[in-house]
Amino acid sequence: QSSLKNGAILSQATILEYGHNNIEDLQKKLGEERGKFRRCLIITDSVFSMDGDLCLLPKLLDLAENFDSMLLIDEAHATGVFGANGSGCVEHFNCRGKELIQVGTLSKALGSLGGYVAGSKVLIDFLRNRAASWIYTTALTPGDTAAALAAIKIVREEPERRAKLWENIISLKGLLKSSSLVPIVNFESPIICFEFKDAAAVLEAAKQLKKQGIFAPAIRPPTVNTSRIRISLMATHELEHLERLVEAMNN
């Protein structure tokens, strides 16, 4: 979300924020403000990195069409994780071929460096010629490029890795139901967050978890509104790891 906001600021466009994943608030603001501007770009994450919930992509596409707006979706935490082929939430929601701009990173699930923009030929040609942040940056090294291409090949050809990740997500949901732990949202991704009363409490929790061999970062304001422990599941986790996590969090 931070990179999206910084990009919006760099564009020097008028910025109007809407409530987190709040379609009604977005619709209200579009109704009040859209007519004042020649162009409008709706921006969202597909997977929200500090909560673990998903954007309501089909509804966002409907709003974009109804209000003659463009839509940009950041797949940073969805690439390699969502969709039958690991293409992200655009594929997950069966929205491929729709009019939108899909951006993402090669540095999370794909484990390389850099990022991508997928869109119409007109858009890509425009960015190649006008986007100073791309034109004047250093190109990816051959090694980084090869690593990203190899990772994409693995995502496509080894779906069992993704299946194992989702097996772990379902298993953790089951374990949490039989515990006293309640995530901030009903998570729909490998990201799970638990709220704490303040920064001191969450820092102590992260410290205690680390002593038990669990790396779970403490996220505090101003990065987020409330202090929280952030868990990221992996395909390489086993059931015993999840059980140990729940036991440690309960303590």
Side-chain angles (χ1 to χ4, degrees), residues 20 31 38 40 57 97 107 111 120 131 144 147 169 185 201 213 225 228 241:
H20 173 75
R38 192 156 53 98
C40 175
L57 182 55
S107 65
S120 67
D144 293 320
I169 294 168
V185 298
N225 292 330
R228 63 196 64 187
H241 298 136

Side-chain angles (χ1 to χ4, degrees), residues 130-151:
R130 297 292 295 275
S133 55
W134 180 80
I135 293 168
Y136 298 109
T137 194
T138 303
L140 291 179
T141 67
D144 293 320
T145 305
L149 290 170

Side-chain angles (χ1 to χ4, degrees), residues 3-250:
S3 58
L4 291 177
K5 288 182 178 180
N6 287 330
I9 292 168
L10 284 172
S11 75
Q12 299 183 345
T14 300
I15 301 169
L16 300 171
E17 294 193 20
Y18 59 96
H20 173 75
N21 220 11
N22 190 327
I23 294 294
E24 291 75 19
D25 186 35
L26 174 58
Q27 183 172 6
K28 180 174 180 290
K29 284 185 167 63
L30 285 168
E32 293 170 348
E33 304 290 340
R34 177 65 187 97
K36 301 175 184 177
F37 302 97
R38 192 156 53 98
R39 285 188 287 266
C40 175
L41 176 64
I42 301 168
I43 301 173
T44 184
D45 284 320
S46 59
V47 178
F48 294 100
S49 63
M50 291 299 159
D51 293 283
D53 50 343
L54 308 186
C55 76
L56 304 171
L57 182 55
K59 292 183 178 181
L60 288 170
L61 281 165
D62 288 342
L63 281 182
E65 182 178 354
N66 292 341
F67 286 93
D68 189 26
S69 301
M70 298 175 285
L71 175 63
L72 183 148
I73 178 170
D74 186 347
E75 298 268 41
H77 295 274
T79 303
V81 175
F82 283 87
N85 298 294
S87 296
C89 281
V90 171
E91 183 181 40
H92 171 73
F93 284 112
N94 197 28
C95 293
R96 296 180 77 174
K98 303 286 187 180
E99 289 192 17
L100 51 75
I101 304 164
Q102 188 176 2
V103 304
T105 181
L106 306 175
S107 65
K108 288 186 167 57
L110 301 181
S112 183
L113 187 70
Y116 66 86
V117 180
S120 67
K121 184 179 185 302
V122 171
L123 170 74
I124 301 306
D125 285 344
F126 175 82
L127 293 176
R128 281 175 171 157
N129 289 282
R130 297 292 295 275
S133 55
W134 180 80
I135 293 168
Y136 298 109
T137 194
T138 303
L140 291 179
T141 67
D144 293 320
T145 305
L149 290 170
I152 291 169
K153 188 170 186 276
I154 290 170
V155 167
R156 285 176 171 170
E157 297 180 0
E158 300 180 25
E160 64 273 13
R161 295 174 183 265
R162 194 160 51 257
K164 172 60 176 169
L165 174 62
W166 282 99
E167 181 184 314
N168 285 340
I169 294 168
I170 293 167
S171 295
L172 183 57
K173 282 191 173 189
L175 291 169
L176 289 174
K177 280 184 180 178
S178 58
S179 77
S180 60
L181 298 168
V182 180
I184 289 177
V185 298
N186 182 22
F187 61 96
E188 305 166 88
S189 73
I191 299 169
I192 308 100
C193 295
F194 299 94
E195 189 171 344
F196 283 73
K197 63 180 181 179
D198 55 36
V202 79
L203 284 168
E204 180 61 25
K207 180 181 175 182
Q208 294 301 323
L209 287 169
K210 191 173 183 181
K211 285 181 179 178
Q212 298 180 62
I214 298 170
F215 178 65
I219 314 295
R220 295 151 288 159
T223 304
V224 289
N225 292 330
T226 58
S227 296
R228 63 196 64 187
I229 284 288
R230 181 178 183 271
I231 307 294
S232 294
L233 291 182
M234 297 168 59
T236 49
H237 285 137
E238 299 295 340
L239 181 59
E240 63 186 85
H241 298 136
L242 308 183
E243 291 172 339
R244 184 147 52 95
L245 167 67
V246 172
E247 182 182 359
M249 288 289 293
N250 271 324

